[in-house]
Amino acid sequence: MFVATAVAYSYFAETKYFVELQTWAQANFVRFFLILIFVKALGIVWPPLPGVVITLGAIPIVGWIPALIADVLGWYLGSSIAFFLARRFGIKAILFFFGEAGVIRVKKFKVNPKRELEALIIMKCLGGSIGEFINYAAGLTTVKFRNFFLANFIASIVIAIPLFYTFNHALKSSNNLFLALIPLSIAILFFYIFRDRYFTWDELEDKEKPLT
């Protein structure tokens, strides 16, 4: 879905309709801004939709700061909705959005309660499927919403601001986009090395079911 959306946007950006969208967005800034927030939030609630592609793609239209603000607000809104969906509907929410594999991961994966806030920040900073999955997973645990929201806030500062600033310059030079991958690689390496500090895994026995 991410690749398909990115390709579709790249194609759209080369058409005359993109210029028309720029004109419309400038004349209807508030409406366009609210649409960006909605799309970003929807992409968090329904992970297959990569909302970040749309908000990043809005940089040439409204500038990187408005696009960043819309992305962050949508991030907060979507994450909060996902958290409370899981808290309200439990495993059914995980099953609906992530399937049986998601349910198995939730049952095996637990956040170290002594380092709850740190663990959430690390996971949210990694982004991608991990960052979106934790929105639902956290809702099924005893994780406090205060810590959950604070982790989102900190992660948005650590990730969103450099991402949008770098992408804004990457539109002018591909070297900047390459350099942006360096801190991301370091973050993933840090997460792997210190994974036992923040998380625990419960071993689940695989039981063979008799054939019927």
Side-chain angles (χ1 to χ4, degrees):
M1 286 293 292
F2 180 89
V3 173
T5 304
V7 171
Y9 174 81
S10 298
Y11 175 78
F12 175 71
E14 298 297 325
T15 66
K16 65 177 182 179
Y17 300 107
F18 184 78
V19 177
E20 295 179 2
L21 176 61
Q22 285 180 312
T23 303
W24 181 87
Q26 292 171 2
N28 301 271
F29 178 81
V30 175
R31 185 178 301 178
F32 184 72
F33 184 78
L34 293 176
I35 291 174
L36 289 178
I37 295 176
F38 173 78
V39 171
K40 175 64 178 184
L42 182 60
I44 298 294
V45 175
W46 189 60
L49 177 65
V52 68
V53 174
I54 307 301
T55 50
L56 284 173
I59 292 178
I61 301 175
V62 296
W64 75 273
I65 293 181
L68 166 66
I69 295 175
D71 183 88
V72 170
L73 292 178
W75 188 354
Y76 296 159
L77 177 61
S79 297
S80 299
I81 292 175
F83 180 90
F84 286 111
L85 280 176
R87 186 141 292 185
R88 171 66 177 83
F89 297 102
I91 290 295
K92 292 181 180 179
I94 301 295
L95 183 63
F96 180 81
F97 288 104
F98 297 94
E100 290 288 349
V103 174
I104 294 175
R105 290 181 181 180
V106 166
K107 291 181 177 179
K108 293 175 62 177
F109 190 66
K110 296 181 179 179
V111 177
N112 186 335
K114 295 181 180 179
R115 306 187 186 280
E116 182 177 283
L117 180 58
E118 295 178 56
L120 289 172
I121 292 173
I122 293 296
M123 294 192 73
K124 296 300 293 184
C125 284
L126 283 176
S129 60
I130 294 178
E132 293 168 359
F133 179 76
I134 192 58
N135 295 323
Y136 290 94
L140 294 176
T141 66
T142 58
V143 168
K144 300 180 181 65
F145 180 73
R146 177 185 59 187
N147 286 340
F148 176 77
F149 190 85
L150 183 58
N152 274 293
F153 176 75
I154 295 175
S156 67
I157 296 176
V158 174
I159 296 298
I161 294 178
L163 175 64
F164 276 75
Y165 178 80
T166 303
F167 195 86
N168 180 52
H169 287 276
L171 295 174
K172 306 171 184 177
S173 173
S174 59
N175 292 331
N176 291 311
L177 186 59
F178 173 77
L179 292 176
L181 297 177
I182 297 178
L184 176 61
S185 301
I186 295 175
I188 295 176
L189 180 62
F190 175 85
F191 169 75
Y192 179 78
I193 294 175
F194 293 98
R195 63 192 184 282
D196 293 332
R197 172 183 174 88
Y198 301 109
F199 311 103
T200 58
W201 284 263
D202 289 340
E203 296 297 332
L204 297 180
E205 296 181 359
D206 294 326
K207 299 180 179 180
E208 295 184 357
K209 296 181 179 180
L211 297 176
T212 58

